[in-house]
Amino acid sequence: MNVFQAFLLGIIQGLTEFLPISSSGHLEIGHALLGIKNENNLLFVLDVHVATVLSTIVVFRKDIGALLKDLYKFEWNASTKYVAMLLFSSVPIVIVGLLFKEEIESLFTGNLFFVGIMLLFTATLLTLTVYVKQSNKEITFAKAFIIGIAQTMAVLPGISRSGSTIATGILLKIKKEEVARFSFLMVLIPIIGAAVLDIFSGELTTQHANVVNLLAGFVAAFLTGLAACSWMIKIVKRGKLIYFAIYCAVIGLIAIFAA
């Protein structure tokens, strides 16, 4: 991997982590098109994921600050309940991640046919939201858990995490602006948790690591993540997910025929 490829993959990660078009699927396609092998892949993936986590924190800094401030009151209030729902939504992906880590990793082998099928699934899920009437229902623990299950499905390359969680929230008739906020905040827990596990697992190595490539990927993912996160919030409010459904369908079909 050269610095240009690292920068390009960082842009792909930053954009597709927030836009409902599957970051994992696009990274798999990107690796295939660029002919990049899995050279110290874990370190680079961790690098760009940390960058998108940081961009999420920057965009939602006021929300996160308010939640933390209320948590320090050590009482059951709206913020405590909200954080509890975020934690509860992470239960499915934590269980699957711990029990089926090797099986999940085995799916990331550049199988464009599988990625294409999963992109078509994402397209279908996004299309369903078009037929849901506007509603202002609040998030509950039960709905948070269901959204958490949707997030767990996104461990498969080609299924969009933001797309599956936001679409599921809309199908549950949760207020669009609120489901977008919940979707982006809920991802912080599993990504940070997975990063900590990778660091202490002993599997992560800095041997042969290219610092310039890591920096290029980090900067690209962070800056594009800032833009994509802010943009996606506006898109969800306007209910324009059908365009991403069409995009996922087209790219999915291309991936299938190119496999």
Side-chain angles (χ1 to χ4, degrees), residues 165-259:
T165 54
I166 291 173
T168 299
I170 292 175
L171 292 173
L172 291 171
K173 297 189 175 181
I174 300 170
K175 187 163 45 178
K176 290 181 178 180
E177 182 179 355
E178 184 55 37
V179 77
R181 175 175 178 254
F182 190 83
S183 171
F184 293 141
L185 289 177
M186 70 186 287
V187 74
L188 296 178
I189 299 170
I191 289 184
I192 292 174
V196 172
L197 285 176
D198 286 337
I199 291 171
F200 291 100
S201 66
E203 297 178 12
L204 191 67
T205 174
T206 57
Q207 186 177 9
H208 305 305
N210 188 313
V211 177
V212 176
N213 286 354
L214 291 174
L215 183 60
F218 185 92
V219 171
F222 174 70
L223 293 178
T224 53
L226 282 177
C229 186
S230 301
W231 186 31
M232 189 60 196
I233 295 170
K234 297 177 182 177
I235 291 172
V236 174
K237 288 181 184 178
R238 296 169 184 167
K240 303 294 185 181
L241 297 182
I242 187 61
Y243 300 113
F244 294 104
I246 295 170
Y247 173 84
C248 286
V250 171
I251 298 299
L253 290 172
I254 291 174
I256 290 171
F257 288 111

Side-chain angles (χ1 to χ4, degrees), residues 1-10 34-36 39 44 213:
M1 182 190 303
N2 58 44
V3 66
F4 172 75
Q5 291 171 329
F7 189 78
L8 183 59
L9 289 175
L34 296 172
I36 299 173
E39 46 188 57
F44 184 79
N213 286 354

Side-chain angles (χ1 to χ4, degrees), residues 30-233:
H31 278 87
L33 291 176
L34 296 172
I36 299 173
K37 305 299 181 182
N38 293 330
E39 46 188 57
N40 207 1
N41 189 47
L42 183 60
L43 182 60
F44 184 79
V45 170
L46 176 63
D47 176 62
V48 293
H49 273 85
V50 169
T52 50
V53 164
L54 184 58
S55 63
T56 305
I57 292 173
V58 171
V59 172
F60 289 99
R61 60 191 180 280
K62 293 182 180 179
D63 299 77
I64 294 172
L67 289 173
L68 293 176
K69 183 179 179 181
D70 284 348
L71 281 178
Y72 284 128
K73 294 178 181 178
F74 297 103
E75 60 183 30
W76 186 255
N77 51 42
S79 293
T80 308
K81 180 182 177 181
Y82 193 83
V83 172
M85 287 192 292
L86 288 173
L87 291 170
F88 193 50
S89 72
S90 299
V91 171
I93 197 168
V94 169
I95 293 174
V96 171
L98 291 176
L99 296 181
F100 303 102
K101 186 175 185 292
E102 292 183 2
E103 288 80 0
I104 293 170
E105 290 177 349
S106 68
L107 296 172
F108 290 82
T109 56
N111 186 339
L112 293 186
F113 182 82
F114 183 79
V115 170
I117 294 296
M118 293 301 101
L119 280 169
L120 291 181
F121 178 84
T122 297
T124 302
L125 194 57
L126 293 173
T127 301
L128 291 175
T129 64
V130 176
Y131 303 99
V132 178
K133 292 183 179 179
Q134 177 69 42
S135 180
N136 293 317
K137 292 185 178 180
E138 300 295 327
I139 296 175
T140 63
F141 277 94
K143 290 178 180 178
F145 191 78
I146 294 172
I147 295 173
I149 293 174
Q151 176 173 245
T152 304
M153 293 167 53
V155 299
L156 301 175
I159 295 183
S160 166
R161 191 209 65 80
S162 63
S164 60
T165 54
I166 291 173
T168 299
I170 292 175
L171 292 173
L172 291 171
K173 297 189 175 181
I174 300 170
K175 187 163 45 178
K176 290 181 178 180
E177 182 179 355
E178 184 55 37
V179 77
R181 175 175 178 254
F182 190 83
S183 171
F184 293 141
L185 289 177
M186 70 186 287
V187 74
L188 296 178
I189 299 170
I191 289 184
I192 292 174
V196 172
L197 285 176
D198 286 337
I199 291 171
F200 291 100
S201 66
E203 297 178 12
L204 191 67
T205 174
T206 57
Q207 186 177 9
H208 305 305
N210 188 313
V211 177
V212 176
N213 286 354
L214 291 174
L215 183 60
F218 185 92
V219 171
F222 174 70
L223 293 178
T224 53
L226 282 177
C229 186
S230 301
W231 186 31
M232 189 60 196
I233 295 170

